[in-house]
């Protein structure tokens, strides 16, 4: 079988990976020289902890297995089974964490409520004042800025993979073929469009009423911390954002403890993960109403610095990168991804939202299984 994959972000790359692993030939087309969108502008977290129960959690857990398998064979991915700590700083936040541990799927996630001493033993860098943290054993991390390059190198070594960067697909030609902006037509047995947040042009022509929206975020990266941050870290604002934490305790928290004005305005939570060079990736904000601003604003960064320094109990290193990113999310946010046949033999797979880095391996596996690769 010959598979044409359009889009070289993590979702498209994982579709190419599934096809090559199953013995098929792949032509992979990317409009940039290499991926430049949300797939390289994220935390690199394999984030199981906050996923909604049911299909979303099952997808994340399966993806976690696949990431670990790939990472074992490709150590350059930087796969680390580091888990995460969601720090709680008062009794209302602690009650939400405790309620989470009573969920029927808490064991599958590897959730455990830890006290302050246990937190500091697990992650000595967390020297700020807190009442403990919700530990998630299943969370992990890879290196987002380089993951696609590492995967592409391995795919090229298979001898069944052709990468065509700097080519924009402009047209679906008949069945199972596309034409790029160089005028070249690429024929296959199946075409999979993984175009990320690029929802105009060809995508709009194929599916005018696509139930997917764009979401903008702001993030940052510091100089090296100078010590190990042994887990990923979140704050209790993540309880408000992720569906797994819905409970009466969360309702009580929301009524008793408002977010800071900056966090509320920018729909923020703290997520933080250490890169292999010792730096910290920190975020993030969420903006849902287009047109998006073209600049980044400073107030969210100031808020994040305050929260992180309180958790670490020390000043944050110099911020060396700030950026914005845009990803595609199903308007029905309970859906893991939007997968739709656009033409005979042509499928669009998009809209995983903030789950893209986590869930892409399992999403691609399901596509391959459903299409009979």
């Amino acid at each position: 079988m010959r598979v044409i994959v359009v889009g070289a972000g993590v979702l498209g790359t994982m579709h190419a990976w599934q096809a090559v692993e199953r013995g098929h030939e792949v032509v992979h087309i990317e409009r940039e020289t290499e991926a430049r969108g949300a797939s390289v502008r994220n935390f690199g977290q394999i984030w199981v902890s906050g996923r909604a129960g049911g299909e979303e959690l099952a997808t994340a857990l399966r993806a976690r297995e696949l990431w670990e398998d790939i990472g074992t064979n490709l150590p350059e991915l930087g796969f680390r089974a580091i888990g995460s700590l969601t720090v709680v700083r008062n009794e209302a936040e602690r009650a939400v964490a405790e309620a989470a541990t009573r969920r029927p799927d808490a064991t599958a996630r590897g959730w455990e409520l830890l006290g302050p001493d246990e937190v500091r033993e697990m992650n000595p860098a967390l020297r700020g004042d807190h009442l403990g943290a919700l530990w998630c054993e299943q969370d992990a991390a890879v290196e987002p800025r380089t993951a696609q390059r590492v995967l592409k190198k391995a795919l090229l070594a298979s001898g069944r993979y052709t990468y065509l960067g700097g080519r924009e697909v402009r047209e679906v030609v008949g069945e199972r073929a596309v034409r790029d902006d160089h005028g070249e037509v690429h024929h296959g047995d199946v075409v999979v469009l993984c175009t990320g947040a690029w929802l105009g042009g060809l995508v709009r022509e194929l599916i005018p009423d696509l139930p997917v929206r764009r979401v903008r975020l702001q993030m940052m990266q510091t100089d090296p911390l100078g010590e190990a941050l042994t887990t990923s870290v979140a704050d209790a604002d993540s309880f408000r954002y992720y569906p797994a934490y819905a409970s009466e305790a969360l309702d009580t928290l929301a009524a008793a403890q408002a977010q800071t004005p900056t966090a509320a305005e920018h729909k923020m939570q703290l997520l933080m993960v250490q890169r292999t060079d010792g730096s910290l990736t920190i975020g993030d904000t969420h903006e849902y109403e287009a047109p998006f601003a073209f600049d980044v604003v400073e107030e969210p960064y100031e808020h994040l610095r305050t929260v992180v320094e309180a958790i670490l109990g020390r000043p944050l290193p110099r911020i060396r990168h700030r950026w914005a990113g845009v990803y595609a999310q199903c308007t029905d946010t309970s859906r893991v991804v939007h997968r739709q046949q656009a033409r005979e033999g042509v499928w669009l797979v998009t809209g995983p939202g903030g789950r893209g880095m986590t869930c892409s391996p399992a999403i691609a596996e399901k596509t391959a299984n459903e299409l009979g690769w």
Side-chain angles (χ1 to χ4, degrees):
M1 178 182 290
R2 181 180 170 91
V3 180
I4 310 297
V5 179
V6 179
V10 67
L11 191 57
T13 300
M14 285 300 176
H15 279 81
W17 186 270
Q18 280 289 323
V20 168
E21 283 286 287
R22 295 170 187 228
H24 305 308
E25 179 188 355
V26 171
V27 176
H28 200 178
I29 308 171
E30 164 59 39
R31 64 177 180 160
E32 303 281 358
T33 305
E34 60 182 27
R36 304 295 293 166
S39 294
V40 297
R41 304 187 193 196
N42 63 75
F43 296 95
Q45 288 177 312
I46 316 305
W47 193 246
V48 173
S49 47
R51 301 301 171 203
E55 180 188 2
E56 183 176 331
L57 177 59
T59 302
L61 287 169
R62 175 56 181 157
R64 165 67 166 75
E65 294 176 359
L66 293 169
W67 271 118
E68 185 164 15
D69 288 345
I70 297 169
T72 298
N73 295 317
L74 298 177
E76 307 96 307
L77 275 177
F79 177 87
R80 284 113 55 211
I82 55 177
S84 73
L85 290 168
T86 300
V87 176
V88 295
R89 302 180 65 197
N90 57 50
E91 291 295 344
E93 293 176 354
R94 190 180 187 280
V96 179
E98 187 173 16
T101 65
R102 296 194 294 268
R103 285 182 59 108
D105 54 19
T107 300
R109 300 171 192 266
W111 268 346
E112 183 182 353
L113 183 57
L114 305 181
D117 292 341
E118 294 171 301
V119 168
R120 292 188 180 99
E121 182 178 355
M122 181 174 287
N123 194 336
L126 305 186
R127 291 187 287 271
D129 293 330
H130 55 76
L131 296 185
L134 182 63
W135 161 245
C136 181
E137 184 180 24
Q138 288 291 337
D139 289 337
V142 296
E143 292 301 290
R145 289 175 179 257
T146 57
Q148 269 63 249
R149 289 183 228 159
V150 171
L151 292 166
K152 182 174 74 173
K153 181 180 178 181
L155 287 166
L156 287 167
S158 72
R160 296 189 302 276
Y161 174 82
T162 300
Y163 182 80
L164 300 175
R167 298 194 182 209
E168 183 173 319
V169 170
R170 294 286 182 84
E171 181 184 5
V172 172
V173 182
E175 297 179 4
R176 303 177 178 88
V178 296
R179 179 181 287 114
D180 66 30
D181 59 358
H182 291 214
E184 188 173 349
V185 177
H186 307 276
H187 296 271
D189 298 289
V190 64
V191 176
V192 183
L193 305 173
C194 298
T195 54
W198 177 44
L199 303 177
L202 174 65
V203 174
R204 183 177 292 116
E205 291 174 9
L206 291 171
I207 307 176
D209 56 350
L210 184 67
V212 175
R213 65 180 177 179
R214 300 169 81 233
V215 181
R216 183 179 185 267
L217 56 79
Q218 286 186 205
M219 294 175 59
M220 64 183 180
Q221 189 166 335
T222 71
D223 281 342
L225 182 63
E227 61 181 317
L229 189 75
T230 58
T231 70
S232 294
V233 176
D235 76 342
D237 276 344
S238 65
F239 292 153
R240 306 170 190 264
Y241 183 76
Y242 286 107
Y245 303 114
S247 65
E248 290 184 8
L250 180 60
D251 295 338
T252 300
L253 173 66
Q257 180 178 313
Q259 285 185 293
T260 67
T262 298
E265 178 185 356
H266 296 280
K267 301 175 178 61
M268 296 182 68
Q269 60 177 340
L270 166 69
L271 295 178
M272 177 168 60
V273 61
Q274 190 169 43
R275 305 269 63 91
T276 54
D277 70 354
S279 63
L280 303 176
T281 302
I282 302 172
D284 64 346
T285 66
H286 301 87
E287 185 179 355
Y288 300 101
E289 298 297 326
F292 300 133
F294 60 83
D295 48 7
V296 296
V297 293
E298 191 61 25
E299 289 81 3
Y301 296 113
E302 294 170 352
H303 168 79
L304 289 169
R305 177 185 288 277
T306 299
V307 173
V308 170
E309 290 183 346
I311 290 173
L312 295 179
R314 56 162 284 181
L316 194 63
R318 181 182 70 96
I319 298 171
R320 69 183 186 193
H321 300 300
R322 290 175 168 85
W323 69 89
V326 178
Y327 59 78
Q329 180 187 61
C330 294
T331 52
D332 176 0
T333 55
S334 68
R335 297 184 60 186
V336 175
V337 74
H338 183 78
R339 187 184 289 104
Q340 181 176 347
Q341 186 171 4
R343 297 274 177 84
E344 183 66 30
V346 179
W347 291 79
L348 175 68
V349 186
T350 189
R355 298 171 287 230
M357 199 70 180
T358 296
C359 293
S360 287
I363 291 170
E365 181 183 61
K366 186 172 182 180
T367 300
N369 290 341
E370 289 188 355
L371 300 187
W373 292 3

